[in-house]
Structure formats: structure tokens, C-alpha cells
């Protein structure tokens, strides 16, 4: 399954009472579809799933699938550190009509590589849906090795990898040893262009909430051989991306999206909103980025 170049890991909007705001969620979905998003990932890290209840996760996934209505693929985050729960959630979202599932490496348990393989194998065996491997050792405390990812890619419906290890050497090893129909996506916005340059497909992005069109322009320039232009986009984006991760994700991107008119700044504890000084710095970097993009578009 090809998710395109940019899949957005969607935020979860909350109202003033801390409940999921579905009216705003619909507006965010429409904004993303209209601004450079090729696929949506719902109930991932950016969606604050550690603080969502199981009923909330299921309702949000179901809602998103219905509102998207097959215009772009919707990938449902179902992974937990409990294989039995992950299997149960997979069956539920398959019935909802999800186009694929994202399964994170089991966290806290810290399984070895054999345990990680067995976890993904068990989940993949109960569904016909494409399975996205989500490797994010900074969150889970365990790295899915290149060898394990390569082995898992031989399972027929495991053909998508979200690599958020930040390790380009590991990504290169994976890309050099999987079949051409296995797509490797960066889980780090800052590594989007470097990964595509070594054969990756694209990015599962946070920054695309606010710069999706510019990211598409960067990747289009690269595909067209205008590597100097692609590099300029990358260079302009990097300070903004770094500021979007100044605080734990999704705190900064929720602030950034609120600056575009979406009332989504509220986060659930233990997340807390950005300090005013960091908001001011983001605003400055955003203005500088806009000016740089104007120049790049003339190249």
C-alpha cells in the first residue's frame, strides 16, 4: 500500500473541558486533506493516545474514517504493549473500514527482537490490512533492529515502515534489503529529504499540519531533479521543525495550528502548554520561514 509522500500523524483536538472536540477534528481533517496530506494516521503519538481511553480511541478512528470517506487512506494506530489488545483493536478498526493499521513496538515491556517479531507476526496474521511497523525507540525504550524489520517485511501484509529511530544507517540497511514494494517512511520531519535521497518513500509527519504544501513542493523538486531547490526548502524548514519539537510533541504543533485559526492548543496532562517565550520564538521563526519560502518559489 502506497500512502503517498506525506502522511500526517493527526493531532486530537480537545475542548475547554478536555473532551475530544469532534467539530474541530473535522475542520482539521479537511485542512490536512486540502494542504498536502496524502494519508492520515489517527491515534498515533501526535494524537496523544497515551491519555485517550479505549472508547475514545475507537470513536475517534471511526469518526475519522467516516469523514475522510475514502478520499485518502486512513491508517489507524492500534499498537499497545499488549499483543492481545492490539489484535482486538485491529479487528475493530478493520470492521470500521480502516485502510491500514500502525503498530508500535511494545513499550515498557522491552521485549527482545524475537519477542518484537512475534508481536508483529501475531497481529499481521489476524488481518488482511496493511501493517505499518512503527519504530520509535525514544518513546518505547526498545529499537526494532534492521534485521528484525527486514525479516518482518517478508510477511505479505507488512510492507510499510515508519522509522523514527533517527538512524540513517539503519534506514539504509533496511532499504537495501527489502523488496521494492516495501515503503520506508521517516518518522522524523527533519530527515524527510535525507531519507528520500537514499530511497525512502516519504514521511509520517507532524510538521505537515502547518507546512504540508511546502513539504510537497520540496519533494516534488527533488523528484524533478531540482535538488538545489529541494535543499533550499529543507534548509528553510529545519529551524521551524526544530522549534516544533522544542517541547514534547504535540504541544508545539498544537500551538502552531492554533496560529492558523484552529482552537486546538489544549493538551491533556501530563502535557502542558508552551511557555510564552517559546511561543514568541516560534512566531519569529514562522515569519522568517514565510519570507524564505517566497524567495524559494522564485527559483
Amino acid at each position: 500500500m502506497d500512502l503517498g509522500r506525506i502522511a500526517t500523524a493527526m493531532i486530537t483536538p480537545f475542548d475547554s473541558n478536555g473532551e475530544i472536540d469532534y467539530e474541530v477534528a473535522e475542520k482539521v481533517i479537511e485542512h490536512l486533506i486540502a494542504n498536502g496530506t496524502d494519508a492520515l494516521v489517527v491515534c498515533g503519538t501526535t494524537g496523544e493516545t497515551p491519555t485517550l481511553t479505549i472508547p475514545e480511541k475507537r470513536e475517534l478512528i471511526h469518526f475519522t474514517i467516516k469523514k475522510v470517506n475514502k478520499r485518502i487512506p486512513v491508517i489507524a494506530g492500534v499498537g499497545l504493549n499488549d499483543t492481545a489488545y492490539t489484535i482486538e483493536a485491529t479487528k475493530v478498526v478493520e470492521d470500521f473500514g480502516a485502510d491500514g493499521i500502525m503498530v508500535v513496538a511494545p513499550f515498557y515491556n522491552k521485549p527482545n527482537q524475537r519477542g518484537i517479531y512475534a508481536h508483529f507476526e501475531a497481529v499481521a496474521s489476524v488481518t488482511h490490512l496493511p501493517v505499518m511497523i512503527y519504530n520509535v525507540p525514544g518513546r518505547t525504550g526498545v529499537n526494532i533492529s534492521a534485521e528484525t524489520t527486514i525479516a518482518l517485511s517478508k510477511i505479505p501484509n507488512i510492507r510499510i515502515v515508519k522509522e523514527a529511530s533517527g538512524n540513517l544507517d539503519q534506514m539504509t540497511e533496511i532499504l537495501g534489503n527489502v523488496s521494492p514494494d516495501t515503503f520506508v517512511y521517516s518518522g522524523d520531519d527533519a530527515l524527510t529529504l535525507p531519507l528520500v535521497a537514499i530511497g525512502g518513500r516519504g514521511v509520517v509527519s507532524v510538521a505537515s499540519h502547518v507546512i504540508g504544501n511546502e513539504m510537497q513542493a520540496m519533494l516534488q523538486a527533488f523528484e524533478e531533479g531540482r535538488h538545489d531547490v529541494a535543499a533550499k526548502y529543507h534548509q528553510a524548514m529545519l529551524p521551524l521543525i526544530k522549534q516544533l519539537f522544542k517541547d514534547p510533541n504535540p504541544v508545539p504543533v498544537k500551538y502552531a495550528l492554533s496560529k492558523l485559526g484552529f482552537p486546538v492548543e489544549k493538551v491533556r496532562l501530563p502535557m502542558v502548554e508552551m511557555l510564552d517565550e517559546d511561543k514568541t520564538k516560534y512566531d519569529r521563526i514562522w515569519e522568517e520561514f514565510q519570507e524564505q519560502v517566497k524567495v524559494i518559489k522564485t527559483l
Side-chain angles (χ1 to χ4, degrees):
M1 182 181 187
D2 187 353
L3 304 180
R5 288 295 197 187
I6 298 175
T8 298
M10 193 177 77
I11 59 119
T12 300
F14 300 116
D15 63 22
S16 58
N17 296 317
E19 302 298 321
I20 297 176
D21 191 327
Y22 286 98
E23 182 178 344
V24 175
E26 182 173 3
K27 292 177 181 178
V28 171
I29 289 167
E30 295 304 322
H31 163 75
L32 293 174
I33 292 175
N35 289 277
T37 292
D38 297 318
L40 281 178
V41 177
V42 60
C43 285
T45 303
T46 309
E48 295 179 70
T49 48
T51 58
L52 297 183
T53 65
I54 290 174
E56 283 178 326
K57 291 176 186 177
R58 294 182 179 181
E59 184 177 0
L60 181 58
I61 290 168
H62 194 209
F63 175 87
T64 303
I65 291 168
K66 287 195 300 181
K67 292 301 177 182
V68 171
N69 195 25
K70 296 298 180 182
R71 286 176 289 170
I72 60 175
V74 175
I75 307 301
V78 297
L80 204 62
N81 57 341
D82 176 354
T83 306
Y85 166 81
T86 305
I87 288 172
E88 177 191 348
T90 296
K91 293 175 179 177
V92 170
V93 302
E94 186 170 8
D95 288 341
F96 287 165
D99 297 293
I101 58 171
M102 182 176 72
V103 179
V104 70
F107 49 88
Y108 194 79
N109 315 52
K110 295 185 73 173
N112 60 22
Q113 296 300 309
R114 290 187 298 111
I116 291 171
Y117 182 93
H119 174 77
F120 280 92
E121 181 184 42
V123 175
S125 70
V126 302
T127 183
H128 73 278
L129 293 176
V131 178
M132 175 190 285
I133 298 172
Y134 181 18
N135 184 32
V136 57
R139 295 265 184 177
T140 63
V142 61
N143 178 56
I144 306 175
S145 71
E147 293 81 3
T148 299
T149 298
I150 293 162
L152 284 168
S153 75
K154 294 177 171 55
I155 296 173
N157 57 334
I158 300 183
R159 288 289 186 273
I160 313 170
V161 180
K162 178 184 176 183
E163 255 294 336
S165 64
N167 187 336
L168 277 173
D169 288 350
Q170 178 162 299
M171 298 178 205
T172 302
E173 185 177 350
I174 292 168
L175 285 164
N177 290 279
V178 295
S179 63
D181 62 347
T182 298
F183 297 112
V184 178
Y185 289 82
S186 173
D188 298 292
D189 282 294
L191 293 181
T192 302
L193 186 59
L195 178 63
V196 170
I198 61 171
R201 181 63 179 133
V203 61
V204 179
S205 176
V206 175
S208 55
H209 281 91
V210 292
I211 57 169
N213 289 329
E214 291 82 0
M215 295 177 78
Q216 287 284 10
M218 175 182 70
L219 294 175
Q220 182 178 349
F222 182 82
E223 289 178 359
E224 293 173 352
R226 296 182 294 125
H227 296 162
D228 56 337
V229 175
K232 290 292 184 185
Y233 271 113
H234 174 75
Q235 292 158 11
M237 288 176 190
L238 189 58
L240 184 68
I241 290 169
K242 290 174 72 173
Q243 193 63 21
L244 284 172
F245 290 91
K246 174 70 169 55
D247 280 74
N249 181 42
V251 174
V253 77
K254 279 193 153 185
Y255 171 73
L257 203 51
S258 76
K259 297 290 289 184
L260 299 183
F262 296 91
V264 297
E265 195 172 353
K266 187 173 182 59
V267 290
R268 281 182 175 175
L269 288 170
M271 296 294 186
V272 291
E273 292 183 15
M274 292 169 66
L275 295 173
D276 287 343
E277 61 196 64
D278 289 323
K279 293 179 180 180
T280 300
K281 185 174 181 181
Y282 172 83
D283 294 344
R284 175 178 57 78
I285 292 173
W286 174 253
E287 291 172 5
E288 292 171 354
F289 173 74
Q290 294 297 313
E291 292 303 314
Q292 288 176 292
V293 168
K294 289 178 184 177
V295 174
I296 296 170
K297 286 181 176 179
T298 66
L299 300 176

